[in-house]
Every structure is written in structure tokens, then in C-alpha cells.
């Protein structure tokens, strides 16, 4: 019979540009690795059943709900979290600036996931219509129901004039 130590798997990821290696149980979700093992608590957990989008991160260039991914599945990947968009003490990311300017957050719980989803949305479609924005954000739930100003913030970034990386 295997002891607890032997059941752990080694996962190596590059997260926000830093290579990290962590030992995890096979059942551990990526969102828990990010928050609990790496202390990157900007990635939130609203449901852990892939409904709310609060846990969205960028994995190898795609916005992914990190509660839908086992940590072991992320081995070898490159991940960006909300902390990776604007270094501590540095300038805010343009999407964060737009949220600030358009009052696109209330409690802020959904905001990191919204921003990571919008970042991909604008990469795929730099000039989305309101309908396309609302469709693109349909997997992210705001419990404060602040969708109107979130859409306005995204519209302010549309036109492709801003960098969204
Ligand atoms: Fe992942 Fe809600 S916590 S979708
Ligand atoms: Fe509160 Fe969206 S701002 S959940």
C-alpha cells in the first residue's frame, strides 16, 4: 500500500513568468494549487463547479476556469493569473484601468475572472459589439449584477487601440 508521500505528483508550471514545482495530490484542482500552494489569492473560487468564472486564468494563451482543471493536468503549462497582469506597485493593466474608470466593479469578487476572460475576448476580437461582449462574458457571473458597467468598460477598450497582453 502506498503511503501519503508516494501518492503525491510533481507538477512544474511557469506562473506569471516564474517556474514553480509543487507536489500535489492527484485530485487537487488547479485553482487550489494556485491559491493554496502558490498563495496567489487573486484567483477566486465562487462555486468550484465551473459555473461562475471567478477562477478564470490564462493557460497557454486560453482563458480557462481553473476549477475545471486538475493540477496534474497543468504540468508543463504556462499560466498567467490576475497578479501577472500588473506587477505590485506598477501600472495597472489597461483592462483594470477601464474597470476603474467605468465603475465596473462593486464587491470585486468576480473581477479577476472577468478581466482574464475579457483579456482573451479582446485578443480574439479586438472590436466586439455589445452583443459579442455579453456573449463572451456569459460564463462569468457577477453576484452584484454589475454587468452594464462591465460592458461599458470593455467597449471603451474596443477598437484595437489598446494592448491587452
Ligand atoms: Fe471556477 Fe466558479 S470557481 S467557475
Ligand atoms: Fe461583486 Fe461582481 S462586483 S460579484
Amino acid at each position: 500500500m502506498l503511503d501519503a508521500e508516494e501518492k503525491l505528483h510533481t507538477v512544474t508550471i511557469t506562473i506569471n513568468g516564474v517556474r514553480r514545482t509543487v507536489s500535489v495530490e492527484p485530485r487537487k484542482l488547479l485553482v487550489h494549487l494556485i491559491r493554496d500552494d502558490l498563495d496567489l489569492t487573486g484567483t477566486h473560487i465562487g462555486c468550484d463547479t465551473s459555473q461562475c468564472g471567478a477562477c478564470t486564468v490564462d493557460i497557454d494563451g486560453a482563458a480557462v476556469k481553473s476549477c475545471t482543471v486538475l493540477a496534474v493536468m497543468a504540468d508543463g503549462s504556462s499560466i498567467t493569473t490576475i497578479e501577472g497582469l500588473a506587477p505590485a506597485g506598477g501600472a495597472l493593466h489597461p483592462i483594470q484601468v477601464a474597470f476603474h474608470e467605468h465603475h465596473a466593479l462593486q464587491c470585486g469578487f468576480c473581477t479577476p475572472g472577468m478581466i482574464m476572460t475579457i483579456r482573451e475576448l479582446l485578443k480574439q476580437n479586438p472590436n466586439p459589439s455589445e452583443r459579442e461582449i455579453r456573449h463572451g462574458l456569459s460564463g462569468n457571473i457577477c453576484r452584484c449584477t454589475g454587468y452594464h458597467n462591465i460592458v461599458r468598460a470593455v467597449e471603451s477598450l474596443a477598437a484595437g487601440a489598446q494592448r491587452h497582453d
Side-chain angles (χ1 to χ4, degrees), residues 11-45:
V11 172
T12 299
I13 58 174
T14 300
I15 188 155
N16 301 332
V18 179
R19 193 171 158 87
R20 302 289 300 269
T21 297
V22 181
S23 295
V24 299
E25 291 179 12
R27 65 179 178 172
K28 179 172 271 195
L29 298 175
L30 178 60
V31 68
H32 291 137
L33 180 153
I34 291 171
R35 288 178 52 86
D36 302 340
D37 295 285
L38 303 182
D39 204 25
L40 293 167
T41 54
T43 299
H44 293 163
I45 302 172

Side-chain angles (χ1 to χ4, degrees), residues 44-55 65-67:
H44 293 163
I45 302 172
C47 65
D48 84 8
T49 52
S50 72
Q51 298 172 65
C52 75
C55 64
K65 294 176 178 178
S66 59
C67 75

